[in-house]
């Protein structure tokens, strides 16, 4: 039986140890610039330089203006989901705190408008039909996570590499309850 004895060998600076032909190649690809990544870059720059605006954009006002005065608690009661109220209220407040911190930075307003718009569209076209079809709350919750929260978190991870706001699933879910509280999303027929 042959026994191979290995000793400490210094290969050198970034040298490769190859057992055969070395046909490796290095490929360098630039980071893809997207609308969202550019907005996060612009936000970081404006935040670091204290460049604020004094008004809220029309696009963001579309999602922050209440459509009626019922509120989150009554909306969840009407949709037989009052048991979610304590968590929903906390999630909503976590989003509101973050939105308030960045509300006077134009790129942040654009980011929030973009994400709130995605949530409204997906809720209206995916979640609300499930509620209308009287599917189980478990299925609605799973679909909400799979079709709205997870894809937005993935989008932020992929395109928001420079996300100084630190948006997470907490804020994304908070956006859903924020929109519910100001009557942009309905949980009942």
């Amino acid at each position: 039986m042959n026994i191979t004895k290995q000793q400490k060998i210094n290969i050198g600076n970034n040298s490769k140890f190859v057992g055969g032909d070395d046909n490796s190649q290095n490929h360098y690809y630039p980071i893809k610039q997207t609308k969202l990544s550019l907005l996060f870059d612009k936000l970081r720059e404006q935040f670091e330089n204290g460049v604020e605006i004094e008004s809220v954009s029309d696009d963001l006002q579309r999602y922050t203006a209440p459509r009626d005065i019922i509120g989150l608690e009554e909306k969840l009661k009407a949709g037989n989901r009052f048991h979610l109220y304590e968590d929903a209220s906390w999630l909503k407040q976590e989003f509101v705190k973050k939105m308030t911190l960045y509300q006077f930075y134009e790129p942040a307003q654009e980011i929030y408008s973009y994400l709130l718009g995605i949530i409204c569209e997906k809720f209206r076209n995916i979640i609300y039909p499930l509620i209308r079809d009287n599917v189980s709350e478990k299925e609605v919750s799973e679909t909400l996570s799979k079709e709205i929260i997870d894809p937005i978190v993935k989008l932020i991870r992929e395109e928001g590499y420079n996300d100084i706001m630190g948006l997470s699933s907490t804020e994304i879910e908070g956006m859903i309850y924020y929109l519910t509280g100001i009557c942009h999303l309905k949980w009942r027929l």
Side-chain angles (χ1 to χ4, degrees):
M1 173 191 312
N2 290 335
I3 298 177
T4 304
K5 193 172 185 181
Q6 203 173 20
Q7 297 181 15
K8 293 180 184 177
I9 300 172
N10 185 358
I11 299 175
N13 294 339
N14 295 324
S15 298
K16 297 178 189 174
F17 186 75
V18 178
D21 293 336
D22 180 13
N23 296 321
S24 63
Q25 297 177 359
N26 293 321
H27 298 279
Y28 299 98
Y29 299 100
I31 295 173
K32 182 180 173 186
Q33 293 287 302
T34 64
K35 175 182 179 171
L36 202 54
S37 67
L38 291 171
L39 286 170
F40 278 115
D41 287 344
K42 190 175 175 184
L43 174 60
R44 176 176 290 280
E45 181 183 320
Q46 288 185 7
F47 187 77
E48 288 173 352
N49 294 315
V51 178
E52 294 185 16
I53 58 176
E54 294 186 18
S55 61
V56 176
S57 72
D58 290 341
D59 286 341
L60 186 56
Q61 282 184 13
R62 174 186 314 143
Y63 300 109
T64 57
R67 294 172 82 178
D68 68 31
I69 56 170
I70 296 174
L72 178 62
E73 183 176 2
E74 293 303 315
K75 288 289 180 170
L76 292 174
K77 279 183 188 175
N80 292 323
R81 287 176 168 75
F82 182 71
H83 60 280
L84 299 175
Y85 178 70
E86 186 177 323
D87 287 338
S89 180
W90 177 79
L91 290 162
K92 175 186 154 193
Q93 288 308 312
E94 289 302 302
F95 165 65
V96 169
K97 282 192 276 186
K98 200 155 281 189
M99 184 171 64
T100 302
L101 179 62
Y102 294 97
Q103 70 183 340
F104 293 115
Y105 295 95
E106 185 179 17
Q109 290 185 18
E110 290 184 51
I111 292 165
Y112 288 136
S113 298
Y114 181 69
L115 298 178
L116 291 166
I118 290 171
I119 291 169
C120 281
E121 182 274 327
K122 289 190 175 288
F123 193 95
R124 195 172 39 252
N125 294 310
I126 297 170
I127 304 302
Y128 192 66
L130 295 176
I131 293 168
R132 216 176 34 241
D133 290 345
N134 205 28
V135 301
S136 72
E137 181 180 334
K138 180 179 187 248
E139 188 176 341
V140 169
S141 295
E142 287 172 353
T143 305
L144 191 65
S145 185
K146 187 175 103 185
E147 298 292 334
I148 298 178
I149 299 167
D150 293 347
I152 291 175
V153 169
K154 182 179 179 195
L155 177 69
I156 292 168
R157 281 190 190 133
E158 291 174 356
E159 297 185 22
Y161 59 89
N162 207 4
D163 172 18
I164 66 168
M165 292 188 285
L167 296 174
S168 69
S169 58
T170 298
E171 287 81 23
I172 305 308
E173 194 172 359
M175 290 178 184
I176 293 166
Y177 293 113
Y178 172 80
L179 290 166
T180 299
I182 58 174
C183 303
H184 287 268
L185 304 179
K186 297 188 297 183
W187 290 86
R188 65 177 175 85
L189 300 176

